[in-house]
Amino acid sequence: MAPTAGGRFVGLAAVVVAALLGSAYALGQSMAPEPRPQPTGVSAHADDPPHADQPPGDRPRPPAPTSGPAGPTASPTVGGQNGATGQPPETAGDGLFGARVGTGSAVVALTFDDGPDPRYTPQVLALLRDYDVKATFCVVGENARNHPDLIQAIVADGHTLCNHSWQHDVLLGKRSPDVIRADLLRTNAAIRDAVPGAPIGYFRQPGGAWTYPVVSVAEEIGMIPLHWTVDPSDWRAPGAAKVAAVVSAEVRPGAVVLLHDAGGDRQGTVDSLHELLPDLTGRFRLEALPIPTGAT
């Protein structure tokens, strides 16, 4: 049977309506916003190195020391507070929070970190003895416990002791004041187990990663926070010649020189002293940092 005119009209109308509906749907989809990706909880910087693995150039650089009675950087007030305000000292802007960066006079101070180590500390002591130089040893608590004879040798030769935390904890300054205090007191106790009554007048934060809490707690215990002026990066073991060249070129009156007698292969540092000690003693007065009045 042939379709009627009415039937053809209805069919055509249905086709037109379907086409219009399809166009409207497509237009709506094109105007809808793109869905946002959901967070996965994984950092985009998961492979970034922690602070301890950053090169020294990424750490705060202390101002150059200037000799004089007041010293290059005023020592923080007792308790690490700026007067009675309870606020961090004004020097916090340099990343040091008031840590000392120089000797406060024309004297140059050699400091040796991370020991004692039976492979290198005796060599360092012998060379210092040969040139009649006194230095400052920033010792790690575990090493002091394991090698009390070397702590005794350091003190017997007239060198100054400095607390360098129990286990070289670069993140110590980010921990609670109670944890910081327990760490520093445990280190002091290990040192004094070897040398009862030994004065420990300084604290050096591993990695130079200073914070207000670690400076404040160190002062509360009676220790001066000690940074440095010259860093030859001898912990990278660049070789004796490189260590000697950097120190010789950068040292100035009032400088505190950072060296290491433990924590890795330190033979390059030991060997550099054969060149450094005659050079520096010919140009500067080298002394151990003085024991502060009231040091515990």
Side-chain angles (χ1 to χ4, degrees):
M1 178 183 294
T4 65
R8 287 197 299 270
F9 176 79
V10 171
L12 179 61
V15 171
V16 170
V17 170
L20 290 174
L21 290 173
S23 298
Y25 176 79
L27 179 61
Q29 287 293 96
S30 67
M31 296 179 65
E34 289 288 334
R36 295 184 179 180
Q38 296 300 311
T40 63
V42 178
S43 169
H45 304 286
D47 293 330
D48 284 355
H51 178 81
D53 295 330
Q54 294 176 356
D58 291 339
R59 297 174 187 161
R61 294 186 64 84
T66 55
S67 60
T73 300
S75 298
T77 54
V78 174
Q81 296 179 356
N82 190 8
T85 65
Q87 298 300 314
E90 294 177 0
T91 50
D94 60 13
L96 303 180
F97 297 88
R100 181 172 296 185
V101 298
T103 64
S105 68
V107 166
V108 169
L110 301 182
T111 64
F112 295 90
D113 282 19
D114 299 354
D117 186 304
R119 296 167 295 176
Y120 307 113
T121 304
Q123 295 183 70
V124 171
L125 290 173
L127 284 164
L128 293 174
R129 203 177 302 121
D130 288 345
Y131 288 91
D132 195 24
V133 170
K134 308 301 182 189
T136 300
F137 286 80
C138 298
V139 302
V140 171
E142 277 192 331
N143 292 339
R145 178 194 63 189
N146 295 337
H147 306 289
D149 56 318
L150 295 179
I151 298 295
Q152 294 164 3
I154 289 169
V155 172
D157 279 1
H159 303 294
T160 295
L161 291 171
C162 169
N163 182 319
H164 198 36
S165 84
W166 177 255
Q167 204 173 33
H168 201 274
D169 184 0
V170 176
L171 299 179
L172 182 63
K174 294 185 176 182
R175 308 193 191 286
S176 72
D178 286 344
V179 170
I180 295 170
R181 187 178 298 105
D183 187 291
L184 270 55
L185 290 174
R186 185 183 185 189
T187 301
N188 281 356
I191 294 170
R192 292 191 175 116
D193 282 345
V195 184
I200 307 166
Y202 299 88
F203 167 74
R204 175 171 281 166
Q205 166 62 29
W210 296 102
T211 63
Y212 172 57
V214 79
V215 167
S216 180
V217 171
E219 290 182 309
E220 171 196 311
I221 294 173
M223 299 183 290
I224 293 175
L226 177 66
H227 199 66
W228 57 80
T229 318
V230 178
D231 177 8
S233 294
D234 65 324
W235 59 274
R236 294 181 182 268
K242 179 67 173 178
V243 173
V246 171
V247 173
S248 183
E250 294 188 6
V251 72
R252 299 288 185 273
V256 174
V257 180
L258 172 65
L259 296 166
H260 295 79
D261 64 327
D265 182 355
R266 301 299 176 231
Q267 193 58 49
T269 300
V270 173
D271 294 343
S272 74
L273 296 176
H274 290 281
E275 180 178 343
L276 275 175
L277 289 173
D279 171 46
L280 296 180
T281 53
R283 295 191 289 144
F284 305 100
R285 195 164 88 252
L286 304 184
E287 293 183 6
L289 288 166
I291 297 170
T293 303
T296 57

